[in-house]
Amino acid sequence: MLSAADNELLTRTGQGTAMGELLRRFWVPALLAEEVAEPQCPPVRLTLMGESLVVWRDADGRLGALEEHCAHRQASLYFGRNESRESRDGACGLRCVYHGWKYDIEGRCIDMPNEPAKSRFKDHIRIRSYPVAERGDVVWIYLGPGDTIPALPDLEWAVVPQNQRFVSKRLQRTNFAQAMEGGIDSSHVSFLHSDARLWNPDWTGAKNSTRNHLVEDGAPKFFVEPTQYGMLVGARRNTTDGRYYWRVTQWLMPWYNIVPRDGDGPISAHAWVPIDDETCWAWSVSFNPDSALTKQQTDHYRAGGSIHAEAIPGTYLPTRNAGNDYLIDRTLQKTVSFTGINGIAMQDVAMQEGMGPIVDRTKEHLGSSDAAVIAARKRMLAEARAFAEAGGDTTPSGLDPLQQRVRSASMILPSDVSWVEATEDSRRAARKHYEYS
Amino acid sequence: MLSAADNELLTRTGQGTAMGELLRRFWVPALLAEEVAEPQCPPVRLTLMGESLVVWRDADGRLGALEEHCAHRQASLYFGRNESRESRDGACGLRCVYHGWKYDIEGRCIDMPNEPAKSRFKDHIRIRSYPVAERGDVVWIYLGPGDTIPALPDLEWAVVPQNQRFVSKRLQRTNFAQAMEGGIDSSHVSFLHSDARLWNPDWTGAKNSTRNHLVEDGAPKFFVEPTQYGMLVGARRNTTDGRYYWRVTQWLMPWYNIVPRDGDGPISAHAWVPIDDETCWAWSVSFNPDSALTKQQTDHYRAGGSIHAEAIPGTYLPTRNAGNDYLIDRTLQKTVSFTGINGIAMQDVAMQEGMGPIVDRTKEHLGSSDAAVIAARKRMLAEARAFAEAGGDTTPSGLDPLQQRVRSASMILPSDVSWVEATEDSRRAARKHYEYS
Amino acid sequence: MLSAADNELLTRTGQGTAMGELLRRFWVPALLAEEVAEPQCPPVRLTLMGESLVVWRDADGRLGALEEHCAHRQASLYFGRNESRESRDGACGLRCVYHGWKYDIEGRCIDMPNEPAKSRFKDHIRIRSYPVAERGDVVWIYLGPGDTIPALPDLEWAVVPQNQRFVSKRLQRTNFAQAMEGGIDSSHVSFLHSDARLWNPDWTGAKNSTRNHLVEDGAPKFFVEPTQYGMLVGARRNTTDGRYYWRVTQWLMPWYNIVPRDGDGPISAHAWVPIDDETCWAWSVSFNPDSALTKQQTDHYRAGGSIHAEAIPGTYLPTRNAGNDYLIDRTLQKTVSFTGINGIAMQDVAMQEGMGPIVDRTKEHLGSSDAAVIAARKRMLAEARAFAEAGGDTTPSGLDPLQQRVRSASMILPSDVSWVEATEDSRRAARKHYEYS
C-alpha cells in the first residue's frame, strides 16, 4: 500500500507535478507511424500528460509536433491545411484555416496573410514545437526542456527489422501507473491469463508447457535486481522435477516492460503512456528478434490475439470495454476460461479499470508476490522526489540507450544455479540490431 | 420549505453523514431475489448510499454481500469466479480472477494461491461483509455496525405467500427523499394520476369509483398521527352525500409507505433506497393479503401497469425517461389523460426528476395538503439529529417488527366518526402471515 | 489578449455577474416563433444565461414566459397542461400536473385545487414571469428588472415583411462571446470561407466577384467607429485597380452583428445568446430588405446553405459537430475547399468549438486585423464595468431603437473618399419598415 500522498505523487503527471516533470525527460511513444504515414497527410490530434498536440507529416515527409492551438486566436491546428512547397509562400507547413497563419515543423510562423505584406509580426510568433522522431513503427515525441533531449530508446523491439515486429495501441481508462503495474506483475499470469482447464488436476491437455509451469506454481518467489535502466525481475517457480522455472522480465524507466517468449516465439513488450491522469495509451509489441513474423502471427495479432486487443474499426478503442462488461461469458468462466473474458489484454483491462480510474492504493494488502510492483513504485517515487529536489537539474536514470539493449528470458534451472548469471547471455539484445549506432 | 442546511441533512446519505449513519441502522432492500436466483450464479454489483458492493449466491445456495474490491490490489470481485466445493481449496467462495484470492460469504480470505503454501498471510485478510437475507422476493442487506443488526422488517407484503405478491424496482435519477415524498403525498393522486375525463363535469363514465372520490375533492384535509414506526396519515375528502372518504396510509421509517387498495384489490407499497445522493432505487410492490394475484394482474404489472414501470429489456431502467421526455403525448394530455404520460410510476418520475436531482426545498411554498410531507421530513430530520447527537449510541425508532405489521385502508365514514378508531381493524396486517414468528 | 480576470468578466453571464446583469437589460432572442406557433401548443423549456424558463402560448394566443418550476414543490411546468377558458376555473393558464396549481401568463397562481375552496393561499403565490414579445419570427424575452424594460430592438431583419426573411438557430458548444467574436471578425472570411481555388493564381473561374476581392487582399485594414448602438467597422481591402473594396459591418450591443450583401442579394445577420457559459444559441438571419426571398433561396437556407446549418431532424443541433469532426473531408480540403468542411456556419463552429468552450484569451496574439474584435471586447468590458459600478442604476448604451435601424454595406471606392460618408445612405435601414412606429 501507499500513503495517499505517495499515491498522488505516483499518479499525477500534469505540467509542474514532480512525476510529470520527470516523465517529460523521456521520449514518449506517441503515435503509430501508420497514423501519419504519408507526406502531406491529415494532421492528428493527441493529448499526452494533459498537453494537447497536433502531429503531422509535411509534404517533404518530415514530421512535426506542435502545441494544438494557433498562437493567433487559439483555433485548433488539427483542422489545418498541410501545405506543400506549391503553396502561396513556397514552403511546406501547416496553415491554420481560421486566418491563414502558417507554421513550419519547428513552430515558426512562416506566413501571416491577414497582416500587411510589410508587417514583421509573424517573425515574433512561434508556437511550441516538440522534438519528434520515428523508430520501430512508432512516432516518438519529447515534451521536456530543449536542452536535455536524450537519445531515442534502444529498445530491441524498436530496432529490429520491420517484418519482425507488430505494434498496436489501445485506449485504457485508468492512470498509466495502474496499467504499468499490471505489466510488471508477472504473478497474475498464473491466474488471470490461465486456461481454467489447467486448474483441473484431471486435465492432461497441455502438460509441460510454459503455461503449465505458470499454473503448477501460482506462488512464485520474486527477486528484484535494481539496474541503471530500471530493474530486472526474476520470478522463480517450482517445477515437478525439483528444478526451478525462472521467468525473467525487465521494467525500464519510466513505463516500459519486456515479457519472455515461449521457446523461439515472439517476445512481448509494452509501454504505458499517460494521456491524462485517468486515461492512458497501452502499447503492445510482439517481436521476434531472430526472424520475420509469419502472416499467421500478424493476422492473429491484428484480430486481437495474444497481447493485442480487438478494436472498434477505425479507432484504437477496444471492442470489449467497461460499457459492455468486456463481453464476459459466465458459462465460459465456469468451464474453460478462468475469467470468461476473451483475450489477455482485455483480461488485464477488466482488472485495472475495475479498480476505478486511479486506484486507492491506501487500501491494498500486498504480499510477497507483489515484490516487483513494490520495487517499481519505490523507484518511481524516489526518482520523482530526487528530480524535484534537484529542481530538475539532474539526469534521471534510465536514459542510457546502451543500458536499454536488454531482452526478457525464461529458463528451467537446477536449484543451485544463479538466475542472474545463467540468464545473462539470453538477456542481451542481439548486437546486430544496433549496427546503426 | 426547508433551510438549505436542513435540505443537506435530509438528502446526504454517504458514510459519516448524519442521515447516512441513521439509514445504515435499517435493513436495505437491495436486490430482487431473481438477480441472484441460482446457486453459483454470476455475482451482482450494486451501490447503496455510495458504497460499492458485490452480492452473490454460493454453490451451496447461501447469499454473500461483500465490499466490491479485493483486499489485495482492489480488483473488482464482480468479475470473480463463484466456485463450488469442487474447487482447488474444497470450499464455496468467490475467487478474484486477478491473483486468485478467494473469499467466503463472510469476507474471510480462504485461499491465497499466489503466496507460498506455508504463508499465513491470508488469515489476516478479511474484507467487509454485510449481513444479507432474503424475504419477500427481495434480498436485504444491512450496512450498519455488526452489533446493532435489527430484525428483518415485518412488512406485510414481504411475508405474504409468494403468489400473492409482485415486486419490481426501477432506477430513478433523484435523491431518495424526493422520491419518497411523492409516495407520502397522497394529495397529488387527485391530479397527476387522474383520468382527465373525470375533470369534465359532463362525463359519467366512472361515477362513484374511488378515483371519482379522489377527483371530486382534490383538496383533502390531512391528519397525521405520529407512531413508533413512523406515522399514520389520514386524508379526508368530502363526498357528494355529506360523508367523508378517508384514505389512510402509513409511512414507515426510514423509506417505506403503504397505499390503500380499491375494494378487495391489491395493496400497493413502496421503498425508496439511495444508490448515491442523486439516484435511488424505487421499489414497487402490489400484493393481495388474502389471495393469489391473478395471471392477468401479474401480466399487467410486468408490462408496466399499475404502479410498476416498463423497463428496457434486461435492465431496471424505465423505457420512459428524461431522455425521451417520458414519451409524453400532448394530444392525450388534451383529451383523456391529465398528463399525457403513460403509467402512474412514470407520471411520478416526470415530476420528481423534473425538479432536478436534489430539489431546492428553500424555494417551495407548502400548503395544507402537504401536511404529511412536512411531518415526515420533520421526523426524519429530528431522528437524524438525535442519532448524531447520541453519537449513534441509541436505537432509532421504526425498528420494531411488531409495529410494522400494518396495512393501509380507505373507507367512507359518517362525518362524526373517528377515522383512527374506525380504521383500526382494517389497518392491522393479517396475523396468519406472521406464523413464522 | 485579455487578462484572466477580463476573460472571466467577458464570459460569465449568470445572475449576479457584471456581464450577466448588463445582458439582462436587453431583450433576448429566445425561441423561433415556430416553436410556440399555435394557441394552446405544448410549452417549451429553455435556458438563458443559466436561468430555466418555460414558454407557452395560451389558448387565447398570448405568449407567456415563466420560471420553469412550480412554486409549490418545484415540479417542472414544462409538463404542464396548457388549458383554455373551457377549463374548471374558466381561465387560460398553465396548470402544473403535480397538484394542479395553475398560472396565468403573468405568473399569478389563479387556481389551487388542492387547497380548500375558501383558502386564499393562492393569492400569495406568484412565480417569476418574464416580459415576452414576438417580432421577426422570433420570440423575445426580457430577463431584467421590471422597471427598466426597453423597447424591442428595431433591427431591420426583424421588421421586414415575413416573406423577406429566413431565421434559423443552432446550438453551439462555446461561450457566447467566442461565437460573437467570429461574427465581428470579417478578416477570417478571406480564409476560412474562401474557395480554395481562389488561392491558385491560375484559376480564373470567379474573377471580380466579391469573394475575389476578399481573397485578393487577405490583410484588410480595419477602421472602427464607436457608435451609440455599438460600433461601425470598416474593413478596407486593396483591389487590383488601385481602388478600395470596403466591407462595412455593424456590431450592435450586446450580441448582434450585420454582414453585407452581395449586390442585391440578401443581407446576413446574427445574434449570439448565452444558454449557459459554455453553450450558446447562434441565430442566423438572411433577409432581403427590398423583396421577397425566392423559394430557391429559402430551400437552400433550410438545407443548411449560406450562413445556416443543416440540423439533426426535429432538433436545432447541427448534423456536423465536434463528435464527427464536422464531417471534414481532407480530399476536398486539398482541392476546392480551404477547410474541407461544408458550410460557412460549420466552418466557423469548427474554429470556435476547437478553442474549447471558453477560450483562454491570455494566450492569444492579436494583430492589426483583430482591431474590431479588440474594440468590441473593450466596449463590452467597459460597459459591464460601468454598469456594475453604477450598481445597475444606469441605462446601458445600445438600447435606443432609432439607433438600431442600420444596415451593413460593401462598396468599391476611390482611395480618397471617406468610407463613412460614402456608405452613409446605404447603411440606413429602409424607412418603410418602421411604419408601425
Side-chain angles (χ1 to χ4, degrees):
Chain A
M1 57 167 280
L2 292 183
S3 68
D6 277 357
N7 206 26
E8 283 290 295
L9 178 55
L10 182 67
T11 56
R12 298 299 171 185
T13 68
Q15 285 182 330
T17 62
M19 188 60 75
E21 292 304 315
L22 173 65
L23 294 177
R24 278 166 176 74
R25 294 301 176 92
F26 292 82
W27 283 95
V28 185
L31 293 178
L32 283 163
E34 70 185 28
E35 297 179 73
V36 283
E38 300 293 325
Q40 223 180 336
C41 64
V44 174
R45 249 175 325 198
L46 75 162
T47 301
L48 295 174
M49 297 184 242
E51 297 186 41
S52 299
L53 286 76
V54 64
V55 181
W56 49 295
R57 190 182 294 278
D58 76 10
D60 287 355
R62 294 171 306 174
L63 284 170
L66 303 178
E67 56 177 298
E68 183 189 346
H69 294 99
C70 178
H72 178 215
R73 292 274 309 283
Q74 301 288 299
S76 174
L77 293 171
Y78 167 72
F79 297 107
R81 298 172 62 79
N82 187 348
E83 294 187 344
S84 74
R85 292 173 189 272
E86 305 299 307
S87 62
R88 168 186 198 277
D89 56 303
C92 290
L94 188 62
R95 189 186 296 280
C96 178
V97 293
Y98 206 177
H99 300 85
W101 291 22
K102 182 168 170 179
Y103 300 91
D104 68 12
I105 55 172
E106 291 180 314
R108 272 184 291 263
C109 184
I110 55 174
D111 192 21
M112 195 183 271
N114 70 330
E115 289 294 322
K118 64 177 190 299
S119 164
R120 299 266 57 88
F121 188 30
K122 78 169 190 303
D123 301 341
H124 302 286
I125 298 297
R126 185 166 182 179
I127 58 174
R128 176 133 195 225
S129 76
Y130 300 86
V132 54
E134 202 174 348
R135 177 180 279 184
D137 298 334
V138 170
V139 173
W140 307 73
I141 293 177
Y142 176 74
L143 300 174
D147 54 354
T148 57
I149 309 177
L152 276 177
D154 263 357
L155 298 159
E156 191 176 26
W157 62 258
V159 298
V160 296
Q162 189 172 33
N163 64 2
Q164 297 176 219
R165 169 182 56 233
F166 182 89
V167 186
S168 70
K169 70 171 188 179
R170 59 175 169 76
L171 187 84
Q172 178 163 333
R173 300 194 185 278
T174 72
N175 185 267
F176 86 105
Q178 200 159 324
M180 182 166 75
E181 288 173 1
I184 292 168
D185 159 34
S186 82
S187 151
H188 75 271
V189 179
S190 302
F191 306 94
L192 187 69
H193 305 316
S194 71
D195 187 315
R197 286 171 296 194
L198 294 176
W199 288 67
N200 178 349
D202 302 329
W203 192 72
T204 56
K207 288 287 180 195
N208 302 317
S209 76
T210 297
R211 295 274 145 199
N212 225 22
H213 294 309
L214 291 171
V215 173
E216 269 164 10
D217 184 356
K221 188 163 167 57
F222 278 88
F223 299 83
V224 175
E225 295 286 326
T227 64
Q228 193 276 344
Y229 62 72
M231 66 192 198
L232 184 67
V233 180
R236 191 186 77 189
R237 284 173 168 87
N238 298 308
T239 67
T240 44
D241 64 5
R243 291 182 300 168
Y244 290 143
Y245 169 63
W246 285 94
R247 201 169 160 78
V248 181
T249 59
Q250 288 88 4
W251 169 71
L252 298 95
M253 285 279 291
W255 44 44
Y256 301 104
N257 71 296
I258 314 179
V259 181
R261 65 213 294 196
D262 283 349
D264 293 337
I267 300 175
S268 299
H270 293 285
W272 320 92
V273 174
I275 296 171
D276 53 32
D277 293 344
E278 302 204 343
T279 46
C280 67
W281 286 116
W283 289 86
S284 299
V285 185
S286 298
F287 74 105
N288 192 320
D290 307 315
S291 59
L293 297 174
T294 64
K295 179 166 187 310
Q296 191 181 14
Q297 284 172 327
T298 55
D299 283 354
H300 181 55
Y301 300 151
R302 203 162 280 118
S306 181
I307 57 173
H308 305 278
E310 186 187 325
I312 297 169
T315 76
Y316 302 103
L317 311 176
T319 310
R320 290 166 178 76
N321 54 53
N324 57 27
D325 272 346
Y326 311 95
L327 302 179
I328 189 170
D329 180 329
R330 297 288 187 175
T331 304
L332 218 60
Q333 190 183 30
K334 279 195 175 169
T335 53
V336 299
S337 159
F338 194 69
T339 58
I341 297 171
N342 198 323
I344 292 171
M346 301 325 296
Q347 290 161 1
D348 283 325
V349 178
M351 295 303 99
Q352 293 159 15
E353 291 184 345
M355 298 168 182
I358 300 182
V359 64
D360 183 353
R361 290 178 178 78
T362 67
K363 292 190 173 170
E364 295 174 332
H365 294 79
L366 302 183
S368 61
S369 72
D370 298 300
V373 168
I374 292 167
R377 286 179 188 175
K378 275 193 184 152
R379 174 73 172 268
M380 289 285 279
L381 292 170
E383 296 269 355
R385 266 194 207 96
F387 190 77
E389 275 160 22
D393 192 15
T394 179
T395 302
S397 76
L399 286 173
D400 180 358
L402 289 174
Q403 299 280 339
Q404 294 161 342
R405 299 177 179 188
V406 293
R407 187 190 286 179
S408 53
S410 68
M411 212 169 269
I412 296 181
L413 296 172
S415 62
D416 57 353
V417 169
S418 155
W419 67 281
V420 176
E421 286 172 23
T423 61
E424 191 169 3
D425 285 350
S426 314
R427 288 187 286 101
R428 218 173 276 128
R431 171 110 195 114
K432 64 176 173 182
H433 299 315
Y434 300 91
E435 280 161 10
Y436 70 88
S437 65
Chain B
M1 58 167 280
L2 293 184
S3 67
D6 278 357
N7 206 24
E8 283 290 296
L9 177 56
L10 182 67
T11 57
R12 298 299 170 186
T13 68
Q15 284 181 330
T17 62
M19 188 61 74
E21 293 302 316
L22 172 65
L23 294 177
R24 278 166 175 74
R25 295 299 176 92
F26 293 81
W27 282 95
V28 185
L31 293 178
L32 283 162
E34 70 184 28
E35 298 178 73
V36 283
E38 299 293 324
Q40 221 179 337
C41 63
V44 174
R45 250 176 325 200
L46 74 162
T47 302
L48 295 174
M49 298 184 241
E51 298 186 41
S52 300
L53 286 76
V54 62
V55 181
W56 49 295
R57 188 182 294 278
D58 76 10
D60 286 355
R62 293 171 306 174
L63 283 171
L66 304 177
E67 56 176 299
E68 183 190 346
H69 293 100
C70 177
H72 177 214
R73 292 273 310 282
Q74 300 290 298
S76 174
L77 293 170
Y78 167 72
F79 297 107
R81 298 172 62 80
N82 187 347
E83 294 186 345
S84 74
R85 293 173 189 272
E86 304 300 307
S87 61
R88 168 188 198 274
D89 56 302
C92 289
L94 188 62
R95 189 185 298 279
C96 179
V97 293
Y98 206 178
H99 299 84
W101 291 22
K102 182 168 171 178
Y103 299 91
D104 68 12
I105 54 172
E106 290 179 316
R108 272 183 291 263
C109 185
I110 55 173
D111 193 21
M112 195 182 273
N114 71 330
E115 289 294 322
K118 65 178 189 299
S119 164
R120 298 267 57 88
F121 187 31
K122 78 169 191 303
D123 301 341
H124 302 285
I125 299 297
R126 184 165 183 179
I127 57 175
R128 176 134 195 223
S129 76
Y130 300 86
V132 54
E134 202 174 348
R135 176 179 281 185
D137 299 332
V138 170
V139 173
W140 307 74
I141 293 177
Y142 176 74
L143 299 173
D147 55 354
T148 56
I149 308 177
L152 276 177
D154 264 357
L155 298 160
E156 191 177 26
W157 62 258
V159 298
V160 296
Q162 190 172 31
N163 64 1
Q164 296 176 219
R165 169 182 58 233
F166 182 90
V167 186
S168 71
K169 71 171 186 179
R170 61 176 167 75
L171 187 84
Q172 178 162 332
R173 300 195 184 278
T174 72
N175 185 267
F176 86 105
Q178 200 159 324
M180 182 167 73
E181 288 172 1
I184 293 167
D185 160 33
S186 83
S187 152
H188 74 270
V189 179
S190 303
F191 306 94
L192 187 71
H193 306 315
S194 71
D195 186 315
R197 287 171 294 195
L198 294 176
W199 288 67
N200 178 350
D202 303 329
W203 193 73
T204 56
K207 289 286 181 195
N208 303 317
S209 76
T210 298
R211 295 274 144 198
N212 225 22
H213 294 310
L214 291 171
V215 174
E216 270 164 10
D217 184 355
K221 189 165 167 53
F222 278 88
F223 300 82
V224 175
E225 295 285 327
T227 64
Q228 192 276 344
Y229 61 74
M231 66 191 197
L232 185 67
V233 181
R236 190 186 78 188
R237 285 173 168 86
N238 298 308
T239 67
T240 44
D241 64 4
R243 290 182 302 168
Y244 291 142
Y245 169 64
W246 285 93
R247 201 168 160 81
V248 181
T249 60
Q250 288 88 4
W251 169 71
L252 298 95
M253 285 278 293
W255 44 44
Y256 302 104
N257 71 296
I258 313 178
V259 180
R261 65 213 292 195
D262 283 347
D264 293 337
I267 300 175
S268 298
H270 294 285
W272 321 92
V273 175
I275 297 171
D276 53 32
D277 292 345
E278 302 204 344
T279 46
C280 67
W281 286 116
W283 290 85
S284 298
V285 186
S286 297
F287 74 104
N288 191 320
D290 308 315
S291 59
L293 297 175
T294 65
K295 179 166 187 311
Q296 190 182 14
Q297 284 172 326
T298 56
D299 284 353
H300 181 55
Y301 301 152
R302 202 162 279 119
S306 180
I307 57 172
H308 305 277
E310 187 188 325
I312 296 169
T315 76
Y316 301 103
L317 311 176
T319 309
R320 290 165 178 77
N321 54 54
N324 57 26
D325 272 346
Y326 310 95
L327 302 179
I328 188 171
D329 180 329
R330 296 289 188 174
T331 303
L332 218 60
Q333 189 183 31
K334 280 195 173 167
T335 51
V336 299
S337 158
F338 194 69
T339 58
I341 297 171
N342 198 324
I344 292 171
M346 300 326 294
Q347 290 162 0
D348 283 325
V349 177
M351 295 302 100
Q352 293 159 15
E353 292 184 345
M355 298 168 183
I358 301 182
V359 64
D360 183 353
R361 290 179 177 79
T362 68
K363 293 190 172 168
E364 296 173 331
H365 294 80
L366 302 182
S368 62
S369 73
D370 298 301
V373 168
I374 292 168
R377 287 180 187 174
K378 276 193 184 152
R379 174 73 172 266
M380 288 286 278
L381 291 170
E383 295 269 354
R385 265 195 206 96
F387 191 77
E389 276 159 22
D393 192 15
T394 179
T395 302
S397 76
L399 285 174
D400 180 358
L402 290 175
Q403 300 279 339
Q404 294 160 340
R405 301 177 179 187
V406 294
R407 186 190 286 180
S408 53
S410 68
M411 214 169 269
I412 296 180
L413 295 173
S415 62
D416 57 352
V417 169
S418 155
W419 65 281
V420 176
E421 287 172 23
T423 61
E424 191 169 3
D425 285 349
S426 314
R427 288 187 286 101
R428 217 174 277 128
R431 171 113 195 110
K432 63 176 174 181
H433 300 314
Y434 300 91
E435 279 160 10
Y436 70 88
S437 65
Chain C
M1 57 167 280
L2 292 184
S3 68
D6 277 357
N7 206 24
E8 283 291 296
L9 178 55
L10 182 67
T11 57
R12 298 299 170 186
T13 68
Q15 284 181 330
T17 62
M19 188 61 74
E21 292 303 315
L22 173 65
L23 293 177
R24 280 167 174 74
R25 294 300 176 92
F26 292 82
W27 282 96
V28 185
L31 293 178
L32 283 162
E34 70 185 28
E35 298 178 74
V36 283
E38 300 292 324
Q40 221 181 337
C41 64
V44 174
R45 249 176 323 200
L46 76 160
T47 302
L48 295 174
M49 299 184 241
E51 297 186 42
S52 300
L53 286 75
V54 63
V55 181
W56 49 295
R57 189 181 294 278
D58 76 10
D60 287 355
R62 294 170 305 174
L63 283 170
L66 303 177
E67 56 176 298
E68 184 189 344
H69 294 100
C70 177
H72 177 214
R73 292 274 308 283
Q74 300 290 299
S76 174
L77 293 172
Y78 168 72
F79 298 107
R81 298 172 61 79
N82 187 347
E83 294 186 345
S84 74
R85 292 173 189 272
E86 305 299 307
S87 61
R88 169 186 198 275
D89 56 304
C92 289
L94 188 62
R95 188 186 297 279
C96 178
V97 293
Y98 207 178
H99 300 85
W101 291 22
K102 182 168 172 178
Y103 299 92
D104 68 12
I105 56 172
E106 291 180 314
R108 273 183 290 263
C109 184
I110 56 174
D111 192 22
M112 195 182 272
N114 71 330
E115 290 293 322
K118 66 177 187 301
S119 164
R120 298 268 55 90
F121 188 31
K122 79 168 189 305
D123 301 341
H124 302 285
I125 299 297
R126 184 165 183 180
I127 58 175
R128 176 131 195 225
S129 76
Y130 299 87
V132 55
E134 202 175 348
R135 176 181 282 186
D137 298 333
V138 171
V139 173
W140 307 74
I141 293 177
Y142 177 75
L143 300 173
D147 55 354
T148 57
I149 309 177
L152 276 177
D154 264 356
L155 299 160
E156 191 176 26
W157 62 258
V159 299
V160 296
Q162 189 172 31
N163 64 1
Q164 297 176 219
R165 172 182 55 234
F166 182 90
V167 186
S168 70
K169 70 171 187 180
R170 59 175 168 76
L171 187 84
Q172 179 163 332
R173 300 195 184 277
T174 72
N175 184 267
F176 86 105
Q178 200 159 324
M180 182 167 73
E181 287 172 1
I184 293 167
D185 160 33
S186 83
S187 153
H188 74 271
V189 179
S190 303
F191 306 94
L192 187 70
H193 306 316
S194 71
D195 187 315
R197 287 170 294 192
L198 294 176
W199 287 67
N200 179 350
D202 302 329
W203 193 72
T204 56
K207 288 285 179 197
N208 301 318
S209 76
T210 298
R211 294 274 145 198
N212 225 22
H213 294 308
L214 290 171
V215 173
E216 269 162 13
D217 184 355
K221 189 163 167 57
F222 278 88
F223 299 82
V224 175
E225 295 286 327
T227 64
Q228 193 274 344
Y229 62 73
M231 67 192 196
L232 184 66
V233 180
R236 191 187 77 189
R237 284 173 169 87
N238 297 309
T239 66
T240 45
D241 64 4
R243 291 182 300 168
Y244 291 142
Y245 169 64
W246 284 94
R247 202 169 159 79
V248 180
T249 60
Q250 288 88 3
W251 169 70
L252 298 94
M253 285 278 293
W255 44 44
Y256 302 104
N257 71 296
I258 314 179
V259 180
R261 65 212 295 195
D262 283 349
D264 293 337
I267 300 175
S268 298
H270 293 285
W272 321 91
V273 174
I275 296 171
D276 53 33
D277 293 345
E278 302 204 343
T279 46
C280 67
W281 286 116
W283 289 86
S284 298
V285 185
S286 297
F287 74 105
N288 191 320
D290 308 315
S291 60
L293 297 174
T294 64
K295 178 165 189 309
Q296 192 181 13
Q297 284 173 325
T298 55
D299 283 353
H300 181 56
Y301 302 151
R302 202 163 280 119
S306 181
I307 57 172
H308 305 277
E310 186 188 325
I312 296 169
T315 76
Y316 301 103
L317 311 176
T319 309
R320 290 166 177 77
N321 55 52
N324 57 27
D325 272 345
Y326 311 95
L327 301 179
I328 188 170
D329 180 329
R330 296 288 187 176
T331 303
L332 218 60
Q333 189 183 29
K334 280 194 175 168
T335 52
V336 300
S337 159
F338 194 70
T339 58
I341 296 171
N342 198 322
I344 292 171
M346 299 326 294
Q347 291 162 0
D348 284 324
V349 177
M351 296 302 99
Q352 294 159 14
E353 291 184 345
M355 298 169 182
I358 300 182
V359 64
D360 183 352
R361 290 179 177 78
T362 67
K363 292 190 172 169
E364 295 173 331
H365 294 80
L366 301 183
S368 61
S369 73
D370 297 302
V373 168
I374 293 167
R377 287 180 187 175
K378 276 193 184 151
R379 174 73 173 268
M380 288 286 280
L381 292 170
E383 296 269 356
R385 267 195 205 95
F387 190 78
E389 275 159 22
D393 192 15
T394 179
T395 302
S397 77
L399 286 173
D400 180 358
L402 289 175
Q403 299 280 339
Q404 294 160 341
R405 300 176 179 190
V406 293
R407 187 190 286 181
S408 52
S410 68
M411 214 169 269
I412 296 180
L413 295 173
S415 62
D416 57 351
V417 169
S418 155
W419 67 280
V420 176
E421 286 172 22
T423 61
E424 190 169 1
D425 284 350
S426 314
R427 289 188 285 101
R428 217 173 276 127
R431 170 112 197 112
K432 65 177 173 180
H433 300 314
Y434 300 92
E435 281 161 7
Y436 69 88
S437 65

